[in-house]
Amino acid sequence: MAYSFIEPTLSASAVHALLAANRLETRPRSPEFNRALRAEIRDPTWLLARQWQLHEFRAEDRGTPAVAEVVVSEQPLSRLALPGQPSRAYAPAHQPLEAAVEAQPRVVGVGLRLQMGQYWLRQLRTIPALLSASPLERAAALAAFAAAYPLKAQLADEAPVAYAQEATTGEALALLQLAGATALDGYALYQALLAPHRTALLAVFGDSELLAQAVEGLSLTTGFPAAGPATALVGKTSLDTQARQFVLAFHRLYLLGEDSTSWSTEDMAYSFTVGTAGATGLGATHYPGGATLPWYAVDQRPAPAGTPAAPPAPVSQKFLPTEVQFPGAPAARWWEFEDRRVDFGQVTGDPSDWGRMLLQEFMFLYQNDWFSVPYAVPVGSVCAVQRLEVTDVFGYRYAIQPAGAGQLAEEETDVLIDNDATRWRLFAQTDPAHAGPAAAPQLYVPAAALTPLVSRPVEQVSFRREEATNVVWAVESIVSDGFAGGLDGASAAAQVAETLRRLVPAAVLVPAADPPAYTYQLASSVPENWLPFVPMFDNATGLTVLEQGVLPRQGVSLDQADPEAVVQPRTALLQLNPNAPYRLHEHEIPPSGVRVDGSCYRVRWYDGRTVLWFGRHRGPAQPGGSSGLAFDQLKPGPQ
């Protein structure tokens, strides 16, 4: 805008203000707007002024990182130790850590035994030498295995309880009756093939691939009486090949972890320790299971025995540092439009929310001061940065110290600079035995199964506290169906009780001439799937523990010396440690109860192979239910 000024000698009435305005209008001479939208600036003075305004001339005497040299010690997991067993080899390339730790023994029912036996017979029928034999010779060779390892249905007059329990698995029982005299106990055959070599193979039973390598040179049918007729027809080499395939097939499908001791009955949780070359140990004592073993599930522990003390040679690599970027980060260029999908300006926080305030300060002020070096860490290893040197664009080299674990000391006091062993660190494991200065941080990348497929519970046991009886009950809600599935425990228990009452009814008392008006009952009956755990004082530890009690069968006439006169558990969880008292810590059972599910897990490993195992998962119990146990009752007498 322009204006003119009138001299003050004129009278006030003669003063006039003259105003003029000029308007600049854009008149595009081309239909293209690309160049106009670039907002080109041709004035270098203006650019220098903007730099001065933003304090860009107040820079430090530092250069941008150009090259970073990283020396890393990679220590792959190599040993696994379970309670009560010597440490064994562990290969992360073969299976995830969850499979090595969680795989547990399962109930091998009559259906699964029959399936294994039929699989073995089908394998033998594929051998050309056996197919070319006469029908009588072929039948004799196959019948020799069924005669050595027969599988027959239970008889009611010989074992009424086993007969009643087998009757609850109707499908498996029907298939067994259909097989008739040719039914072969495949699980007994599996155990017989491995029995002479079990001690030598003990260290590889937890890994199917290591087991395959170990049995490659073994003759599993040596000294095997049932293999005589088949060996005469097909030869020892062919029979050994089929035996190895049979053992490996069912070890991969159902029997991985058959000898595992990782589950602690006292704690109702897993306990294990893994070690790396370099005597680095990681482990857990109260892992609840469920195929979730992330990095924060373990703590530092002493390395298992047999772990190599010498770490592998460190790896040195050079990288180009790149600026840290994240969605919504402030743009580095002045005229660059930022991503509107992420608006950190909308982040709010309370004045006491220090974490959020520090995060915002980093995002808005210091993001472009940080650089990253993309180092690929192998899966299933513990890595530690031994040295990090950065060279800037001026050629200066800097040795970067680990945050919170600096190794440089002050000249006057010899105190380590920035070394605090109590500082909290992300991605770090707790070391309860560590004392002294902070050690260099390390990164543990587990060989974890991220998203395994989990079946419905094959077995389920709920531990519940009942105030009326002051007893902890282990309720078998789901029991094995004879194959690899589960069936309702309450229905199965009711069916077993009804079958037993029909087979061995209780003794009938002869009524007296003058029957009493009331009868006294010491205790009422309890469902067969409710097993008691009573408090006991442990002299060794001075603690109160819960020990599995004895529950006599009621309503049936069985000899008290007969093992079947006492209710026995049907789940694999309650069958652990059969030669010792079954105990668990009382503090592990809260008032709300604990539920332990046994399920089948399936995961596709990163090399394409499939890993299957049966594992357990501990969680809260569902409320409800009562044992119905009552003492000292008066009931109306016979009318």
Side-chain angles (χ1 to χ4, degrees):
M1 178 178 291
Y3 64 94
S4 60
F5 185 72
I6 306 299
E7 293 291 335
T9 55
L10 298 176
S11 61
S13 60
V15 175
H16 299 280
L18 302 178
L19 303 177
N22 293 327
R23 184 173 66 180
L24 299 177
E25 295 182 355
T26 59
R27 293 187 179 181
R29 299 180 181 179
S30 173
E32 298 294 334
F33 290 89
N34 294 339
R35 184 176 180 182
L37 292 176
R38 287 201 297 265
E40 296 179 354
I41 300 175
R42 301 181 183 274
D43 187 358
T45 306
W46 186 88
L47 292 176
L48 292 174
R50 295 298 293 170
Q51 286 183 285
W52 173 82
Q53 180 184 8
L54 297 176
H55 302 284
E56 292 187 6
F57 295 143
R58 297 182 181 179
E60 296 180 356
D61 189 12
R62 297 291 177 89
T64 303
V67 179
E69 182 179 2
V70 184
V71 179
V72 179
S73 173
E74 299 178 355
Q75 304 174 14
L77 301 179
S78 59
R79 305 295 296 181
L80 174 64
L82 303 180
Q85 290 186 351
S87 65
R88 59 177 176 86
Y90 167 64
H94 294 167
Q95 59 184 352
L97 185 58
E98 289 88 346
V101 171
E102 295 185 19
Q104 291 290 298
R106 65 193 305 162
V107 174
V108 183
V110 60
L112 188 55
R113 293 172 181 266
L114 180 62
Q115 178 185 349
M116 296 176 68
Q118 294 299 315
Y119 182 87
W120 170 252
L121 297 178
R122 285 198 304 270
Q123 274 190 297
L124 296 181
R125 294 190 182 100
T126 60
I127 303 177
L130 189 64
L131 294 176
S132 60
S134 65
L136 292 179
E137 292 177 335
R138 184 167 59 249
L142 299 178
F145 292 99
Y149 306 101
L151 183 63
K152 299 179 180 179
Q154 300 291 339
L155 299 179
D157 53 348
E158 296 180 358
V161 175
Y163 172 83
Q165 292 179 348
E166 194 175 80
T168 61
T169 59
E171 183 179 355
L173 185 59
L175 291 176
L176 180 59
Q177 294 174 350
L178 182 63
T182 63
L184 170 64
D185 190 344
Y187 183 67
L189 174 64
Y190 174 91
Q191 296 290 353
L193 291 173
L194 292 176
H197 316 282
R198 184 167 290 275
T199 303
L201 300 176
L202 184 63
V204 297
F205 271 122
D207 190 328
S208 297
E209 302 304 321
L210 295 180
L211 179 62
Q213 298 172 12
V215 302
E216 185 64 29
L218 295 180
S219 176
L220 299 182
T221 59
T222 299
F224 200 52
T231 305
L233 292 177
V234 303
K236 184 173 177 51
T237 303
S238 298
L239 196 62
D240 278 337
T241 301
Q242 298 299 328
R244 286 192 290 267
Q245 294 179 0
F246 169 76
V247 168
L248 294 176
F250 283 94
H251 186 268
R252 291 189 177 102
L253 281 176
Y254 301 113
L255 303 176
L256 180 65
E258 188 181 15
D259 61 336
S260 175
T261 59
S262 58
W263 182 266
S264 172
T265 57
E266 292 85 359
D267 301 325
M268 282 295 149
Y270 288 101
S271 177
F272 68 95
T273 303
V274 291
T276 68
T280 300
L282 300 170
T285 55
H286 285 80
Y287 168 54
T292 53
L293 261 178
W295 61 268
Y296 52 82
V298 298
D299 295 325
Q300 294 191 26
R301 303 177 66 179
T307 303
V315 180
S316 178
Q317 296 187 31
K318 292 185 178 182
F319 300 92
L320 296 178
T322 57
E323 187 177 316
V324 173
Q325 294 289 338
F326 51 86
R333 297 175 56 190
W334 178 259
W335 290 103
E336 182 180 352
F337 288 97
E338 297 175 353
D339 190 356
R340 65 176 179 84
R341 292 175 296 179
V342 181
D343 185 8
F344 288 114
Q346 299 295 327
V347 178
T348 60
D350 190 81
S352 61
D353 194 348
W354 292 99
R356 186 173 300 184
M357 294 171 63
L358 290 174
L359 179 61
Q360 289 178 305
E361 186 176 11
F362 164 76
M363 291 187 300
F364 295 141
L365 300 180
Y366 301 106
Q367 169 263 338
N368 58 351
D369 294 336
W370 289 81
F371 292 81
S372 63
V373 176
Y375 187 90
V377 178
V379 175
S381 65
V382 177
C383 297
V385 178
Q386 294 187 351
R387 189 175 73 253
L388 174 59
E389 293 185 354
V390 177
T391 304
D392 62 13
V393 292
F394 298 110
Y396 293 100
R397 296 173 65 87
Y398 303 91
I400 309 301
Q401 296 292 313
Q407 304 302 316
L408 297 179
E410 298 179 357
E411 297 181 357
E412 297 82 2
T413 61
D414 292 335
V415 176
L416 294 178
I417 302 173
D418 190 21
N419 190 293
D420 185 4
T422 61
R423 178 185 296 185
W424 179 85
R425 295 185 180 92
L426 189 63
F427 304 118
Q429 282 75 36
T430 303
D431 187 2
H434 178 75
Q442 59 186 17
L443 178 64
Y444 166 56
V445 180
L450 298 179
T451 55
L453 298 178
V454 186
S455 71
R456 295 179 179 178
V458 176
E459 64 177 41
Q460 184 182 95
V461 180
S462 298
F463 294 89
R464 301 176 180 176
R465 289 188 178 272
E466 191 175 48
E467 297 297 335
T469 57
N470 195 24
V471 174
V472 173
W473 296 94
V475 184
E476 295 181 321
S477 305
I478 299 177
V479 297
S480 174
D481 64 351
F483 290 97
L487 52 87
D488 183 68
S491 300
Q495 184 177 350
V496 169
E498 180 61 29
T499 304
L500 288 177
R501 281 193 291 267
R502 177 171 50 85
L503 295 177
V504 282
V508 179
L509 298 177
V510 179
D514 187 11
Y518 294 94
T519 58
Y520 170 75
Q521 186 180 39
L522 178 62
S524 61
S525 61
V526 177
E528 289 210 358
N529 62 322
W530 286 64
L531 302 174
F533 277 76
V534 294
M536 301 284 292
F537 183 77
D538 188 359
N539 295 323
T541 61
L543 300 175
T544 301
V545 296
L546 299 173
E547 183 175 326
Q548 184 176 353
V550 176
L551 184 64
R553 297 185 185 275
Q554 299 184 9
V556 294
S557 297
L558 291 174
D559 187 2
Q560 296 301 317
D562 190 349
E564 292 189 342
V566 178
V567 177
Q568 300 294 336
R570 298 184 61 176
T571 55
L573 174 64
L574 299 181
Q575 293 177 4
L576 296 175
N577 304 327
N579 300 323
Y582 197 105
R583 294 179 175 179
L584 58 93
H585 294 151
E586 187 177 19
H587 62 265
E588 296 294 342
I589 310 299
S592 58
V594 170
R595 186 183 69 186
V596 180
D597 293 341
S599 304
C600 298
Y601 294 84
R602 181 183 187 271
V603 65
R604 178 79 70 177
W605 203 218
Y606 57 78
D607 61 350
R609 75 184 69 193
T610 301
V611 183
L612 301 156
W613 73 93
F614 170 79
R616 298 189 176 95
H617 174 61
R618 169 179 172 168
Q622 297 179 353
S626 174
S627 64
L629 178 62
F631 298 97
D632 301 329
Q633 289 183 316
L634 284 178
K635 291 188 174 182
Q639 301 296 326

